[in-house]
Amino acid sequence: AKLVSSFKQVAVDQSSDEDRLFNIKEIFEEVIVSLNNVLKRTKHEIKLNIDDSFQINSNPGAFSQILTNLIMNSIIHGFESKEDGKIDIYTEKKESFLFLTYKDNGKGMDNKAQEKIFDPFYTTRRNKGGSGLGMNIIYNIITQKFNGSIKVSSQINKGIKFIIKIPL
């Protein structure tokens, strides 16, 4: 029942382009539950380090899309040959900004890949069904919809870290 409820809420939020007051931790938990079909076949672990009472007035569907794409990229790319990947997600409010930090302990990427990661159609899995649109979608939501920014840092075999800054 919880899975069906999470699917419904994530679907409604993603199809509606409306802002509303919502608890960011609850939205992220719903996304994780909705991805259970993919996650349950793995030993990957996702930790949310988010204040239980952190509410914002924004677009929950856009946040769901961002988190879904980040998690799926970690699973498909970062944890490609790793059975027990770890993802940590932190949020913090500083002044009038939301800072969202997402990091995993996956295979990481070199500087060349980091420079192209947000380009449309850039993928390291062209022969394996990758479209190269996931990170471009995230970039466009953050920069165009939210007037925010996203930065990436990574090293080979040391995972990846994204810092997202969004005005509230």
Side-chain angles (χ1 to χ4, degrees), residues 144-155:
Q144 294 177 15
K145 183 171 207 54
F146 292 137
N147 294 316
S149 63
I150 181 170
K151 294 181 180 175
V152 60
S153 62
S154 182
Q155 292 180 348

Side-chain angles (χ1 to χ4, degrees), residues 22-132:
F22 64 93
N23 180 301
I24 197 160
K25 185 172 186 177
E26 288 176 8
I27 291 294
F28 284 9
E29 286 172 340
E30 287 173 359
V31 168
I32 292 166
V33 169
S34 74
L35 293 173
N36 188 49
N37 194 37
V38 174
L39 291 168
K40 72 181 178 186
R41 296 176 282 187
T42 72
K43 294 178 185 174
H44 304 317
E45 181 183 328
I46 301 174
K47 276 191 200 169
L48 295 177
N49 300 295
I50 302 171
D51 184 321
D52 290 336
S53 62
F54 190 4
Q55 292 195 357
I56 62 173
N57 188 10
S58 190
N59 187 300
F63 276 94
S64 296
Q65 183 75 48
I66 291 167
L67 187 61
T68 299
N69 286 12
L70 286 171
I71 292 171
M72 291 307 296
N73 269 5
S74 289
I75 292 168
I76 294 167
H77 299 287
F79 304 151
E80 184 176 20
S81 56
K82 190 177 198 82
E83 290 184 24
D84 57 346
K86 300 206 180 331
I87 297 171
D88 290 300
I89 302 164
Y90 307 88
T91 59
E92 184 179 17
K93 183 179 178 185
K94 284 186 190 173
E95 298 168 10
S96 58
F97 292 95
L98 164 68
F99 287 88
L100 180 119
T101 302
Y102 176 100
K103 61 183 191 174
D104 74 29
N105 69 340
K107 68 180 185 180
M109 59 176 40
D110 62 23
N111 288 339
K112 182 181 174 190
Q114 288 178 65
E115 290 171 12
K116 295 180 175 271
I117 191 170
F118 301 118
D119 292 353
F121 307 111
Y122 175 75
T123 182
T124 57
R125 294 180 57 95
R126 177 80 51 217
N127 308 6
K128 299 175 185 172
S131 69

